[in-house]
Amino acid sequence: MSHTPAAVLLEIHTSALAGMRTGPGNFAQWAAVAAADDFPDADLSEELFHACLMSGDEALIALWRRHLTAWDFAQSARWAQDTPARSDARRAIVYDRLRFGSDVRKALDDVVPVAKVPGPTVITRDFAPWYTPERAAVRSFYWTAYENKLRAKGWSDAAIASLDEASRAVVERLTDPEQSAARQAKGLVVGYVQSGKTANFTGVAAKAIDAGYRLVIVLGGTLNLLRRQTQRRLDMELIGQENILRGADITDLDSLVGVDYVGDDEDWPVFVQHGGRPSALGAFDIERLTTLDNDYKSLAQGIRALEFEKREPARPLHDPMNLHHAAARVLVVKKNKSVLTKLVKDLKQIHGLLGELPALIIDDESDQASVNTLDPKKWQQGSTDRTAINGLLSQLLKLLPRAQYVGYTATPFANVFIDPGDDEDLFPSDFLISLPRPAGYMGAQDFHDLDSAIPQEDRTYANSQEKAHIRDIYESTGDRLQEAMDAFLLSGALKLYRAAHGVPDDPFRHHTMLVHQSVRKDDHAELALRINSMWHQAGYSSTAGHERLAALWASDFAPVSEARAADLPHPASYEELRPHVHTARQRIGSGGQPVIVVNGDSDRYFDQLDLDFDRTPHVWKILVGGTKLSRGFTVEGLTVTYYRRTTQQADTLMQMGRWFGFRPGYRDLVRLYIGREEPFGRDKYADLYEAYEAICRDEETFREQLAQYAVVVDGKPQVTPMQVPPLVAQHLPWIKPSARNKMFNAELVEVRSPGRPIEPASYPVNSGALKRNTERWLPLLSALKPGAVSFTNPPDNSSSLPRTFEALTGTVPHSQLVSVLSQLEWERPGHFAPHLTYLSQLDGTLAKVDEWLLVSPRLAANTRVEASILGSLPLSLVRRSRQTGKASFGRIASVEHRTAAQRLIDEASSTAAEPSGDGLRVSPTTGVALLYPVVEGDSHSDVHAVVRNGVADPSKLVMAFTLIPPTSAESGDHRLVRFRAKNSSHANDATIPAV
């Protein structure tokens, strides 16, 4: 084997891969070209390449990881032959095009496995493809700089490729900036609370600017604090030093007058550096019309600030001859009436040019202030009245006919239910993109045991998110505020201990606790005073104080960290941690004030507050506040949250979930102290933890539906953004078009669920309807056979042991089940109709289902209450509760029962599947129906109350069910959802006049 140095091989591979700008190609040929001039005798054999990979050549592996991951994630690439992104099939195509043999393929798979992570979910209307990989590769100056910056920050190749994919999905749905005809596109990007939405819209801005958008307006929150955060982020990671300096000599203090960051921002050295003025490097400059300290006031150089020099004066600005030589302008502005009024006023003075100017408006937290909240009933006849910000955004879009609008939010319902028939409003009529949950993110799934199959009594710190992170506040527990403060101090000490033992300390730069108990400012001041007094009286340097901390460490932090972060350093005793407790106490109490109140309404308030996570070396404080801490404001280093505030708005409650986010190196230390019986209204109590879980389920259902219906059928989308409101309105009945004199024109008529559970939730409340429904089920209940059948679920991620339950079973013809279902009454008429339309066609019209296996599960013997229902065999009654404020139940079927039913369906569709451990099998044309006689109540006694002499009262039973049709129960076109226009003469209209 040749002695070609590793550095030489790396240089050849780097050059060869750099040549493959539009996709993988014959690597041997590219490598030969790369080596021809400088390294003609280099060993380019696959044997040497394989040996380097097997020996762990880190630089070479990193190079290939970058390129393979980019190709794995590539969307709409011609070379990919329609293989799905992030799949083994896609990787095989890549290897085929590289012409690699089996040994190199296997070695690369070992060191760079396919990142099989979810991509963005895209609901879109048809659009004209223009942002091709070839076009993106030709003009990528700012995207490449941003990508390199993220890599320098430690982003993985998979995370960068995921961002590349998601930002491309947005940009390709904007209008081609070179297009001669003006057209506006409006879209919405849905992320998670504190999950990196800013990174996505920075990537979108970079690609859009590269592609030709020459005016970018970023709406960065309602306070200058938030606007400054966004301005600094864009300046640091996208715009870069050279565009900020604009030719100023960094060594000449006089030339730096008015230049921000230089000399007063310790991160200035890590701001993006382009290596020279971009215009001198063959690209174009970015001119900032706002700075860190200055929101938009007026065009700094008057109207000339938006004058673009044209190389070809006779051609419009959007002509490629002019567009790609013109500088871009970027503004980061508050959603503030006076600021936006100035901007609109100045733009009105510019004549002619605005019609030629490709512009992009990015609206961060787009469900705040941007949405028109005026009551349509109070509008003047024949007109649309708008709130101030909504009206100004509408004017902005009118002034910029080539402007594209992209909203960003974690709580999308307000945007999705903007009146889609109002063309001047901000409804995302062109696309709705749901971003995947990023790696390392702590979200709802990390604080709630959603659908856990593990019995409550068997849950531990290792297998239960709730036990690990949630600390309940009941009347019986006291307020636990002192304990929460102790937890804050202890977790800070543990961060310092880890930093002292080799864990990177950058994530520990800030350490915060959030106390959110009220919306009233007077309450904040009183609570802050109380916390301050408690801190100084806590005795953290006394023997009693250390004994209290040692007990909390031993009972809580030590066992949780052992179960959840065994790979991180842990003190063997509290005494080993004690020196770090002292340091943490000093940091938190610095200045004699451990508490900061965050509740102001003005920029002046926040300027005086001096709470700047970007420019302050260490913020180790307890933050007390309300609404201002819940919207767009990123609380860095948040580790302990004390939350007891109630609200009826789902999106408000979700936005207050500041405990969601990235917690590298200290996930196991995160604690949420939350009220479980908070006073609410008159004589009511709210369980805030359960409320959060219900909201999380609603949002996850929304995301799951988008993903399910995003699959393209025959080249056409199954669901367009215009059809999303009536789709979701099936589950949220309060959703209506914003104008009361309008109705949605799209009507959901069919939902198909081959191999997927159908679980209706809106059962009747009226006892007469309940009794009638129970009577209608009697023919099916009579089909159940005596003698329980055992079902066994094998070990899985939720449990290392098999789990068994018993159930009564029977089979019924498909026609008999449909006959019963078609007679049922629902709390909301039409609730089940789209599903019934589908099931009715499984008689051979759409597909053929012969029969259904009925399964009536029996609960564990110690909790079982059995009763006969209208003469049936004794059935196990179950207790369920309706969701707070809704007629609908939460999930009806237990996880274990649904798992067993789903396994039967999955095994029936797979000829290779082994029979279940219980030996049960169903045919490929058999569905499974789980039946539950439900008693609505809060305690076990409520179930006993409906039974007399072994017979259940049919007027107090909800006959609930979950159906799983066989996977074969689908049409040839694989369509899952079907709409119809209520008024076919206006088939393309989103709304029509109500009749």
Side-chain angles (χ1 to χ4, degrees), residues 15-42:
S15 179
L17 290 169
M20 303 179 198
R21 299 188 67 179
T22 59
N26 188 321
F27 180 74
Q29 291 180 1
W30 281 101
V33 172
D37 291 334
D38 297 325
F39 311 107
D41 298 324

Side-chain angles (χ1 to χ4, degrees), residues 849-866:
V849 173
D850 293 320
E851 61 185 8
W852 290 79
L853 174 67
L854 306 181
V855 179
S856 179
R858 301 175 71 184
L859 301 188
N862 60 335
T863 59
R864 187 185 307 161
V865 176
E866 290 189 329

Side-chain angles (χ1 to χ4, degrees), residues 8-19:
V8 169
L9 193 67
L10 178 64
E11 185 175 339
I12 293 170
H13 280 229
T14 301
S15 179
L17 290 169

